[in-house]
Amino acid sequence: MMIKKSVFAAITTVSLLSFSLAGQIYAADSSFKDIDSAAGKDKISSLKEQGLIKGISDTQFLPGAKVTTAQGIQFISGGLQLSLAAIDFNKAPVASGIFTKVKDNAWYADAFINAHYNGIEIAPDIDPSKPITKEMFTNLLIQGIEKARNLPMIKLVPVEIKDADALEPSYQGSIQRSLKYKINTLDASGKFNPKSEITRAEAAVMLYNALEYLQSGTAQQS
């Protein structure tokens, strides 16, 4: 395999600048019929209208369903529009050449390949069928936006997290940055709840917030 161009060119500055979240919330006209009582329904609708997420069907999103690792990677790869367009290969990559438990004909195989070659570090033995935790999804999403946008290191004053002892140590930095970027918030008691298994609605809201951050003045000045 030969990589001739930057893997992070899949999302260009132009496409990010043209991606406007403001004014694109379609709460009343969403084609998903099962999100009326879901937290973040406006954000889910906006992502759907822009073609950045898909439901179980055209009219069902199943907002309360737990997110599998396969679905989590698809949320990130599809939502950030990661692709191999900026990479030259001598031979097209296959999922089984990278991941031991991802079959080449799986519906999510391309999402794993695109995420991998756009710099998101995914364990080779990851199990796509297992539910994804809040801390793992956060870590992968933060990698995605920082590398796709080539964001610089930021000066960070760590926020006190009441259940910090429960965090996977290698995820602490990305979790703190997710709070800084306002992708995540702590609950009323100051906890992050890192081991909780996130729902499809929660994943969509985090993705929306990540894209909103990329459009913010802070990110544009980076």
Side-chain angles (χ1 to χ4, degrees):
M1 176 187 69
M2 183 182 300
I3 299 178
K4 297 181 178 179
K5 301 177 182 179
S6 170
V7 295
F8 307 128
I11 298 181
T12 65
T13 300
V14 173
S15 66
L16 284 172
L17 287 172
S18 65
F19 182 95
S20 176
L21 293 172
Q24 295 190 25
I25 296 180
Y26 303 93
D29 298 324
S30 170
S31 59
F32 288 138
K33 306 304 182 184
D34 60 349
I35 63 170
D36 286 346
S37 61
K41 65 177 182 179
D42 294 350
K43 296 181 178 182
I44 297 170
S45 296
S46 178
L47 293 174
K48 170 65 164 60
E49 292 294 335
Q50 296 170 76
L52 297 177
I53 61 171
K54 295 181 180 180
I56 302 303
S57 70
D58 287 341
T59 59
Q60 277 194 311
F61 185 68
L62 298 185
K66 299 298 184 182
V67 178
T68 65
T69 299
Q71 291 171 341
I73 299 297
Q74 179 62 50
F75 266 109
I76 294 168
S77 187
L80 298 183
Q81 297 179 294
L82 303 181
S83 76
L84 305 183
I87 311 172
D88 289 336
F89 295 93
N90 290 331
K91 183 179 180 181
V94 293
S96 61
I98 307 166
F99 305 102
T100 60
K101 298 177 182 178
V102 179
K103 295 181 179 180
D104 296 332
N105 62 351
W107 62 265
Y108 49 81
D110 285 346
F112 275 72
I113 292 171
N114 291 339
H116 172 79
Y117 283 106
N118 279 276
I120 299 179
E121 297 177 4
I122 304 172
D125 62 348
I126 196 167
D127 187 344
S129 67
K130 286 188 174 181
I132 195 167
T133 62
K134 183 178 181 181
E135 65 176 357
M136 178 182 285
F137 185 81
T138 296
N139 178 59
L140 297 174
L141 179 59
I142 294 301
Q143 287 187 61
I145 67 166
E146 290 180 339
K147 293 180 178 180
R149 182 66 169 83
N150 197 25
L151 298 180
M153 296 291 290
I154 61 172
K155 185 176 181 180
L156 188 67
V157 177
V159 174
E160 181 183 3
I161 300 174
K162 295 296 186 181
D163 55 351
D165 289 346
L167 300 178
E168 164 62 39
S170 63
Y171 296 162
Q172 289 187 10
S174 58
I175 288 170
Q176 284 286 347
R177 295 195 299 281
S178 81
L179 297 171
K180 175 71 173 181
Y181 300 153
K182 300 188 185 323
I183 293 171
N184 279 316
T185 58
L186 302 178
D187 68 14
S189 61
K191 294 182 178 181
F192 186 78
N193 303 305
K195 308 303 183 189
S196 63
E197 297 172 356
I198 61 172
T199 65
R200 289 172 56 81
E202 289 169 335
V205 168
M206 289 167 64
L207 173 61
Y208 181 99
N209 292 345
L211 292 169
E212 188 171 55
Y213 174 76
L214 289 177
Q215 284 305 314
S216 69
T218 301
Q220 294 301 331
Q221 292 169 10
S222 300

